[in-house]
Amino acid sequence: MFELTSPTEALGPLLGRLADVSLPLLALGLAFQLAKMAAMSQVWGRILREALPATRIRRRDTLAPYVAGVGINAIVPAKVGVVARAVLVKRRLPAASYETLSATMVVEALIGTISTWALLTVAVATGVVPSPQGLFGAAPHA
């Protein structure tokens, strides 16, 4: 049965676990996430420059909308951040159409997906992360 609890009661176990978090490792993880967002915004900027060769595109034209989009996606479901990113960059680049922006975001997402799968494959192959069988446990032996 589902039981309603107060917010403080529900947060108790979470707050207890947060006390065990290593602050240096948390800082390192946040630094890596920020570096990834900066790099991916520049990848998207490069794709935009190829799609819009007559338009001057600065780093900040893609960085701010990219970070805002990631932040919105972290809070709001259904990839609302992607739409916000298109709207924000359209304000900075009036010559760009939403069709062009959408196409560049698809290409950027494909590049991110391919690189993520390649990195994950190498990590599993080298044993840095467990294989899918290791994650779900080996089949019981009869």
Side-chain angles (χ1 to χ4, degrees):
M1 183 101 207
F2 182 72
E3 184 179 322
L4 294 175
T5 60
S6 70
T8 54
E9 227 179 318
L11 287 176
L14 174 65
L15 295 176
R17 296 286 304 210
L18 284 177
D20 296 334
V21 171
S22 166
L23 291 180
L25 290 178
L26 177 63
L28 183 63
L30 289 173
F32 279 138
Q33 177 65 14
L34 291 173
K36 177 197 171 231
M37 286 192 304
M40 288 307 295
S41 74
Q42 295 314 303
V43 167
W44 183 42
R46 182 75 176 236
I47 295 166
L48 277 169
R49 285 183 201 94
E50 293 298 321
L52 304 164
T55 305
R56 181 173 179 258
I57 301 171
R58 300 166 299 194
R59 288 179 183 245
R60 66 179 174 198
D61 291 336
T62 56
L63 180 61
Y66 193 91
V67 171
V70 169
I72 292 169
N73 276 341
I75 298 169
V76 182
K79 296 284 187 179
V80 174
V82 174
V83 175
R85 183 166 45 139
V87 170
L88 290 171
V89 84
K90 175 74 170 136
R91 288 182 178 177
R92 292 172 179 259
L93 307 172
S97 68
Y98 283 111
E99 292 83 6
T100 300
L101 295 175
S102 298
T104 62
M105 287 190 272
V106 168
V107 171
E108 179 255 325
L110 285 173
I111 291 170
T113 301
I114 291 167
S115 62
T116 299
W117 277 105
L119 184 62
L120 183 61
T121 301
V122 169
V124 169
T126 59
V128 174
V129 296
S131 67
Q133 292 83 11
L135 286 174
F136 301 111
H141 298 292

